[in-house]
Amino acid sequence: MPALTPEEWQVLVLSLKVSFVAMAAALPLAFALAWVLARWRFPGKVLLDALVHLPLVLPPVVTGWLLLIAFGTNGPLGRFFAEWLGLTFLFRWTGAALAAAVMALPLMVRAMRLSIEAVDRRLEQAARTLGAGRWRTFATVTLPLAMPGVLAGLVLGLARSIGEFGATITFASNIPGETQTLPLAIYSALQMPGSEWQVTRLAVLSILVSVVALVASEWLARRSGQGGAHHAL
């Protein structure tokens, strides 16, 4: 495929920017939810699990509509972020990042939860017996053992963010240079007659980026499994 045009570079850079910001914003919440679902027992846990995974089964347009209600100009969360942090989401790349984070969150939580559940609790108990406090045990035993799964969740979430379309176009619209990521650019190109070559180039670019992310996620997941087996021995 020939070198990318300036417009294609703009779309690619914006897509990566949106995806990385989405992952950075979603990481603390995803890990906290994964930890709660993996380690805590409480009434309503099944409901929380269902709510976390809801974006996977809802039509993305519905998710975008809910984001519009909550984070729009007149939405309660939208007003809060605008007044207190000067941050707006509607028709901005920040809105595209928010939509991507919401859609990727279930995949991130699932990967991190499985990784946390795979940590041998006996190793944590041994560290506590040797005098390590709760936080030191977490930092030196639990987190390193769960880290490959955490990284796999991040990369998988990144791949999902790059491919996000429905919630983004509903909430942040399709504005070139501002919210037009790879899927939205492909959609726009499809609307123009004689743009088959441009669609092909953008589609190939999207496939290449997604494959790289998925291969990295699989490699990290396999490494996580090998690490767990090694510690079990």
Side-chain angles (χ1 to χ4, degrees):
M1 187 172 67
L4 299 180
T5 65
E7 292 78 13
E8 290 168 345
W9 272 115
Q10 182 184 55
V11 169
L12 177 60
V13 170
L14 179 61
S15 297
L16 294 176
K17 174 184 176 181
V18 165
S19 298
F20 279 110
V21 170
M23 292 306 93
L27 175 59
L29 179 60
F31 188 84
L33 288 169
W35 183 269
V36 168
L37 292 172
R39 292 295 179 91
W40 291 14
R41 295 182 181 274
F42 55 92
K45 181 178 177 179
V46 174
L47 179 59
L48 176 61
D49 193 20
L51 290 175
V52 167
H53 290 86
L54 195 59
L56 288 180
V57 296
L58 274 180
V61 174
V62 175
T63 302
W65 174 71
L66 293 173
L67 288 173
L68 194 61
I69 292 175
F71 290 91
T73 305
N74 297 319
L77 294 176
R79 285 198 303 268
F80 170 81
F81 279 99
E83 292 175 4
W84 293 95
L85 299 177
L87 187 62
T88 57
F89 298 99
L90 200 59
F91 307 130
R92 297 287 308 280
W93 71 268
T94 49
L98 176 61
V102 170
M103 296 302 295
L105 186 68
L107 297 177
M108 297 172 64
V109 171
R110 182 170 181 79
M112 294 177 189
R113 177 182 179 180
L114 292 174
S115 184
I116 293 170
E117 289 176 342
V119 173
D120 191 341
R121 301 292 292 271
R122 293 172 298 180
L123 296 175
E124 296 174 326
Q125 294 170 359
R128 297 293 298 273
T129 302
L130 294 173
R134 179 172 299 179
W135 286 107
R136 185 176 180 185
T137 300
F138 171 79
T140 59
V141 178
T142 310
L143 187 58
L145 291 175
M147 185 56 68
V150 173
L151 294 176
L154 275 174
V155 177
L156 193 59
L158 180 68
R160 178 64 184 85
S161 297
I162 292 173
E164 164 50 31
F165 174 80
T168 301
I169 198 171
T170 304
F171 177 53
S173 190
N174 183 9
I175 304 172
E178 183 66 39
T179 66
Q180 190 178 79
T181 55
L182 273 170
L184 274 65
I186 294 172
Y187 173 79
S188 295
L190 283 169
Q191 311 305 309
M192 298 185 297
S195 61
E196 291 81 6
W197 178 236
Q198 183 182 1
V199 172
T200 301
R201 288 169 59 89
L202 291 171
V204 170
L205 180 61
S206 180
I207 291 170
L208 289 175
V209 173
S210 298
V211 166
V212 169
L214 288 172
V215 169
S217 176
E218 180 65 21
W219 179 78
L220 289 168
R222 289 180 180 273
R223 182 180 175 186
S224 176
Q226 293 171 357
H230 173 74
H231 285 295
L233 294 173

